[in-house]
Amino acid sequence: MMKTKQFLFTVFCVFPLFAQADEGERTYKDATLPIEERVDDLLGRMTWEEKILQLNQFTLGNNDNVNNIEKEVVKVPAGIGSLIYFSENPELRNEMQRRAMEETRLGIPILFGYDVIHGFRTVYPISLAQACSWNTDLVSRACGMAAGEARRSGVEWTFSPMIDVARDGRWGRISEGYGEDPYTNAAFCVASVRGYQGDDLASDKHVAACLKHYVGYGASEAGRDYVYTEISRQTLWDTYLPPYEAGIRAGASTVMSSFNDISGVPATCNHYTLTEILKERWGMEGFVVSDWDAVEQLIPQGVAADRKQAASLAMNAGLDMDMVGHCYDRHLESLIREGAVSEEKVNEAVRRVLRLKFRLGLFEHPYTEEMPAAQRLLQPQSKDLAERLAEETIVLLKNEGQVLPLQGFQPGKNTIAVMGPLVDASGELLGNWSAHGRMEEVCPIREAMQEEFDGKATLLFHAGCPFDGEDKSGFAEALETARQADVVVLFMGEKRLWSGENCVRSTIELPAIQEDFIRQVKEVGKPLVLVLANGRPLGLHRVEPLCDAIVEMWQPGIPGGRPVSGVLSGRVNPSGKLCVTFPRTTGQIPIYYNRRQSSRPALGKYQDIPSTPLYEFGHGLSYTTYRYGEIKLSRQTVREDESLTAEIAVTNTGHLAGAETVHWFITDPYSRISRPVRELKYFEKQLIQPGETKIFRFEIHPMRDLSFVDSDGKRFLEKGTYYVQVKDKRIKLEIDE
Ligand code: GLC
């Protein structure tokens, strides 16, 4: 008597091979059928081997990711679920897709994914910079442009946006997300998802988004990468989960599990986060892919003895697709046969993968049109958008004595010394995770400055100082150049790969040689403008007093030196504001604006430095000035089911038009669970002409904007006193019975 298991296995494994469609029967290939019916029909025809292959992702093309070297899968199975696609052109992808459509029994198309983080070939500013623009519309449009370049190049799934709240600049991946605040990450997550996915996933303008890295990766201990994260359930809910909930509500198609161990249970096998929260409570319809090899990495993480156990833990926790780990393809079949993994679990995972493939229209359009690169990449409109976005990311941190903008100069009479390691290494402005961007396509600082100041001043260029190391041989000439100038502009900061994955630094201060160069240039006695290009907040406490002006340009992508040259000349009025706090020193980390309250707020200070940050979250100067009116509320007291409007008038009291962002914070001075000293709940950016007054409004819905969560995500709203705050102004609001 055949054992039950074997009987079932035969039925479910062999029978489908003969489950051919009857003549005229409407099958999964019928695009007029509802997607769920197509999924059901296809699933019913698949063997276990076919199902399991759908839950694996290998790579295709020349893998250029130094952190993720993998054993090349020499013969990629035509039935593979997904491939990370490293080529810039669609031909190789179409060749592989043709094998899937023509060499397999059911013709299930492959899903091609890639890291389109801040652009595909047109590279935009890094995400940390994009958030400093506070322009969600521009960010959404940039994601839409990147989606179009990617889709028309053979990629229909991006592993973006990265929305990990991060408060430790030693962690190189702080550059990839939208800063320290949950609301900011949520707002830009939604903007990105909408930009990537649009309203028609099947169009060649859009790609499926992937929220990453789920969850709490930004809490990596001491900023080291891939390590343990100590995250209480309370902090999980009030800090790290909100951007993901916003992204799921916005319709994000997929999620990527993170490398980190969440207080003892790694994210890649964490049933609470992957299934209870993501799928059961939030109702996510898409699927979860692991990060690179993260299923196998459950072994070094200390929870799995081998790949088979890793596969069992991950699948049972709700991890749907194994990225290059070779745990699912090698072990799921035996785990099902042994009953260690249920057939329902695997079927549900396959269902989620198939659902996205149908939504992307891959069954109807499995191939990418093979148009020339010049027609699909680096289009004028995407380059223009990159430039505009880069301009809006630039943050004017300091401008003592209005030394900026550099105006009123004459060539032959006035000279600007342009120096620093970035002057002849502008490719570093591309930033990390730059996909198919090319360093040589970044507009060089030298060229941009010459163009910007042509006919306005004489420019002298000299790198003078390396990024790091001990070689000061260029100092003497550089100091001589500084002596000949009326003002010195130093372009300093980081190389592009000093931030990003596996790019951890023990301090966030500039390398000693850069600080020494700044100090020596300052001694020449000319006005000194420091321009920074970096992928993390920097510790500037020794450097700040030496500079008359400091401009944070981040890493702008291919616009390179052009946007910041416009700021230096005054053609662009800087409007960026920090989305991440700048500590004075590494020793202050973690330091962030929405810190918890202290029992003795006036005490517990550092003995050796001020306990305030160097630059606060939201800090950013302009070439014009603004006057803020008082906050007005449409009602002082509301019931929890009522809404009210807060408004504030902002007047441009200067002579230049400026785009101003108003950040609306709330404070709940006492609650049954202690709350941050203040929390960002809304922001708005408006262009204000000189002399003009604009009204900024925040419609407050108490349950949305004033409530809090407990340690299992239950949202509660307490009656009583709250404050609505803009800058240093605040007004009381009562929530009544
Ligand atoms: C990397 C990164 C992740 C990326 C993935 C695929 O290790 O952690 O952000 O999407 O692998 O390249």
Side-chain angles (χ1 to χ4, degrees):
M1 168 65 168
M2 191 186 283
K3 289 202 187 77
T4 310
K5 278 280 172 219
Q6 278 174 324
F7 170 73
L8 285 175
F9 197 73
T10 306
V11 164
F12 284 106
C13 211
V14 178
F15 172 70
L17 291 170
F18 302 102
Q20 300 304 345
D22 302 335
E23 199 49 42
E25 183 190 347
R26 298 181 69 192
T27 72
Y28 66 95
K29 291 181 179 173
D30 179 347
T32 64
L33 267 183
I35 283 179
E36 290 312 306
E37 288 181 33
R38 300 178 76 183
V39 170
D40 286 342
D41 177 70
L42 179 51
L43 202 60
R45 298 172 188 277
M46 294 170 76
T47 66
W48 281 110
E49 186 193 2
E50 290 163 338
K51 289 178 181 177
I52 289 167
L53 269 181
Q54 286 299 309
L55 304 181
N56 289 272
Q57 180 182 63
F58 300 154
T59 62
L60 182 66
N62 175 27
N63 175 4
D64 56 2
N65 186 330
V66 287
N67 294 315
N68 294 327
I69 303 302
E70 99 276 10
K71 294 169 282 305
E72 185 78 21
V73 177
V74 178
K75 188 161 176 13
V76 176
I80 190 71
S82 174
L83 291 169
I84 300 179
Y85 188 53
F86 288 105
S87 167
E88 185 185 78
N89 306 305
E91 286 75 9
L92 177 62
R93 167 239 200 266
N94 284 340
E95 190 187 311
M96 184 67 223
Q97 191 73 298
R98 197 157 287 110
R99 289 188 50 217
M101 302 311 288
E102 297 173 3
E103 291 174 19
T104 65
R105 193 172 65 90
L106 295 167
I108 300 172
I110 297 167
L111 176 61
F112 292 88
Y114 187 55
D115 290 290
V116 186
I117 310 300
H118 52 108
F120 181 81
R121 173 72 181 274
T122 303
V123 179
Y124 300 86
I126 56 170
S127 303
L128 191 64
Q130 292 190 22
C132 293
S133 73
W134 300 97
N135 191 329
T136 50
D137 174 57
L138 226 42
V139 167
S140 191
R141 290 170 53 203
C143 291
M145 291 278 187
E149 281 198 351
R151 189 74 186 252
R152 287 191 286 274
S153 304
V155 168
E156 54 265 348
W157 178 27
T158 177
F159 306 133
S160 178
M162 191 274 213
I163 51 175
D164 298 322
V165 170
R167 292 146 168 188
D168 187 334
R170 293 170 295 183
W171 189 54
R173 307 203 75 168
I174 194 169
S175 63
E176 300 175 41
Y178 300 111
E180 69 190 40
D181 173 60
Y183 180 82
T184 310
N185 274 278
F188 283 98
C189 169
V190 170
S192 304
V193 168
R194 288 183 177 149
Y196 285 132
Q197 299 193 161
D199 48 15
D200 176 11
L201 270 181
S203 93
D204 73 346
K205 296 185 180 61
H206 300 300
V207 295
C210 180
L211 308 180
K212 74 183 187 182
H213 304 79
Y214 186 70
V215 61
Y217 190 18
S220 291
E221 261 183 347
R224 290 190 301 275
D225 212 342
Y226 312 122
V227 297
Y228 180 78
T229 55
E230 182 52 66
I231 303 176
S232 68
R233 283 288 171 88
Q234 181 63 38
T235 300
L236 183 69
W237 279 103
D238 63 33
T239 301
Y240 295 106
L241 285 171
Y244 288 90
E245 181 170 11
I248 295 299
R249 302 261 179 256
S253 301
T254 63
V255 166
M256 180 184 290
S257 73
S258 53
F259 289 126
N260 56 300
D261 173 343
I262 308 172
S263 302
V265 182
T268 298
C269 66
N270 194 308
H271 187 272
Y272 181 67
T273 54
L274 291 172
T275 295
E276 269 185 66
I277 297 174
L278 200 53
K279 296 174 179 176
E280 292 172 357
R281 287 172 67 166
W282 292 349
M284 174 188 170
E285 296 180 348
F287 68 86
V288 183
V289 63
S290 75
D291 201 338
W292 186 284
D293 199 23
V295 177
E296 184 194 17
Q297 287 165 173
L298 294 175
I299 301 169
Q301 254 174 327
V303 294
D306 52 32
R307 273 197 163 107
K308 184 171 183 178
Q309 188 183 11
S312 175
L313 287 170
M315 178 50 71
N316 282 320
L319 190 283
D320 302 303
M321 183 181 281
D322 174 6
M323 181 189 287
V324 308
H326 292 291
C327 296
Y328 282 10
D329 58 331
R330 292 178 186 165
H331 298 290
L332 267 188
E333 196 156 356
S334 59
L335 288 166
I336 295 167
R337 203 168 36 247
E338 293 155 16
V341 167
S342 72
E343 293 164 0
E344 292 71 28
K345 265 281 179 200
V346 175
N347 279 332
E348 177 54 24
V350 177
R351 175 182 299 281
R352 291 171 179 273
V353 173
L354 296 179
R355 180 179 295 138
L356 180 57
K357 292 186 176 185
F358 281 115
R359 287 182 176 174
L360 283 163
L362 290 177
F363 284 82
E364 285 68 48
H365 306 288
Y367 307 110
T368 304
E369 185 191 345
E370 296 177 10
M371 62 175 82
Q375 282 178 26
R376 55 187 160 84
L377 305 174
L378 294 168
Q379 298 301 296
Q381 64 273 27
S382 56
K383 295 202 288 188
D384 294 346
L385 188 63
E387 183 110 4
R388 279 197 51 211
L389 179 53
E391 288 173 355
E392 295 207 24
T393 65
I394 294 172
V395 185
L396 179 58
L397 296 174
K398 179 180 183 182
N399 193 15
E400 206 76 24
Q402 308 308 307
V403 69
L404 290 177
L406 302 175
Q407 291 179 335
F409 287 32
Q410 276 101 33
K413 277 188 65 183
N414 298 107
T415 301
I416 302 171
V418 180
M419 307 200 291
L422 275 156
V423 167
D424 292 326
S426 303
E428 301 298 340
L429 300 178
L430 200 61
N432 63 70
W433 284 113
S434 49
H436 294 290
R438 296 176 190 176
M439 292 172 83
E440 65 271 17
E441 288 172 351
V442 175
C443 175
I445 287 166
R446 185 186 286 265
E447 177 187 313
M449 287 293 282
Q450 270 163 339
E451 200 177 291
E452 190 70 38
F453 287 91
D454 182 27
K456 294 176 188 166
T458 302
L459 297 184
L460 300 175
F461 293 92
H462 195 300
C465 164
F467 280 97
D468 57 3
E470 312 292 329
D471 177 8
K472 300 186 180 182
S473 58
F475 276 36
E477 264 189 27
L479 297 175
E480 186 43 44
T481 302
R483 289 188 191 96
Q484 297 168 43
D486 298 290
V487 64
V488 179
V489 181
L490 299 182
F491 285 85
M492 318 287 283
E494 297 187 318
K495 290 188 172 182
R496 56 191 282 266
L497 297 182
W498 287 10
S499 61
E501 182 179 357
N502 193 18
C503 299
V504 181
R505 295 182 72 80
S506 66
T507 74
I508 59 170
E509 280 80 14
L510 287 170
I513 195 164
Q514 290 194 39
E515 288 198 352
D516 190 23
F517 183 65
I518 294 168
R519 196 172 301 111
Q520 292 194 37
V521 169
K522 179 61 189 171
E523 284 162 10
V524 170
K526 303 295 174 69
L528 198 162
V529 176
L530 174 64
V531 179
L532 292 168
N534 39 290
R536 57 166 48 84
L538 295 176
L540 301 169
H541 69 302
R542 288 187 291 266
V543 162
E544 190 275 339
L546 305 173
C547 304
D548 299 285
I550 302 176
V551 181
E552 177 55 74
M553 71 180 288
W554 302 109
Q555 289 157 338
I558 62 167
R562 222 184 348 262
V564 74
S565 299
V567 166
L568 295 173
S569 74
R571 171 173 59 83
V572 174
N573 183 4
S575 65
K577 297 189 177 217
L578 293 179
C579 70
V580 66
T581 298
F582 271 48
R584 295 174 189 277
T585 72
T586 305
Q588 283 185 309
I589 293 173
I591 183 168
Y592 46 96
Y593 90 87
N594 40 357
R595 61 190 176 282
R596 277 322 213 271
Q597 307 185 55
S598 158
S599 59
R600 294 186 172 188
L603 301 178
K605 307 296 182 193
Y606 292 114
Q607 293 181 336
D608 52 338
I609 60 168
S611 292
T612 51
L614 185 60
Y615 299 118
E616 289 273 4
F617 174 90
H619 173 73
L621 304 176
S622 169
Y623 289 151
T624 190
T625 51
Y626 300 102
R627 185 182 60 246
Y628 279 59
E630 296 310 312
I631 301 172
K632 295 193 181 83
L633 297 181
S634 58
R635 308 170 65 174
Q636 290 308 126
T637 305
V638 289
R639 287 202 317 275
E640 65 179 51
D641 58 351
E642 297 174 320
S643 65
L644 72 140
T645 303
E647 68 176 48
I648 190 166
V650 180
T651 304
N652 180 340
T653 51
H655 306 291
L656 266 178
E660 178 66 350
T661 299
V662 168
H663 291 98
W664 292 92
F665 298 92
I666 67 104
T667 297
D668 180 356
Y670 45 84
S671 162
R672 64 182 167 86
I673 297 175
S674 72
R675 294 184 65 167
V677 291
R678 59 193 172 113
E679 298 167 67
L680 181 68
K681 292 295 180 182
Y682 183 64
F683 60 83
E684 182 187 3
K685 186 172 191 175
Q686 292 191 56
L687 181 63
I688 313 178
Q689 296 300 329
E692 187 184 23
T693 297
K694 284 279 180 74
I695 305 296
F696 289 74
R697 288 188 181 82
F698 170 25
E699 177 141 339
I700 297 173
H701 297 268
M703 186 43 98
R704 180 191 67 188
D705 301 313
L706 304 178
S707 67
F708 203 45
V709 284
D710 68 13
S711 59
D712 188 32
K714 303 254 179 332
R715 190 158 285 281
F716 65 91
L717 175 66
E718 290 181 336
K719 312 288 184 281
T721 302
Y722 294 81
Y723 291 93
V724 179
Q725 186 170 344
V726 171
K727 286 188 178 287
D728 55 357
K729 298 170 183 293
R730 72 178 204 171
I731 189 168
K732 187 189 285 192
L733 167 62
E734 294 290 340
I735 301 296
D736 214 349
E737 291 298 332

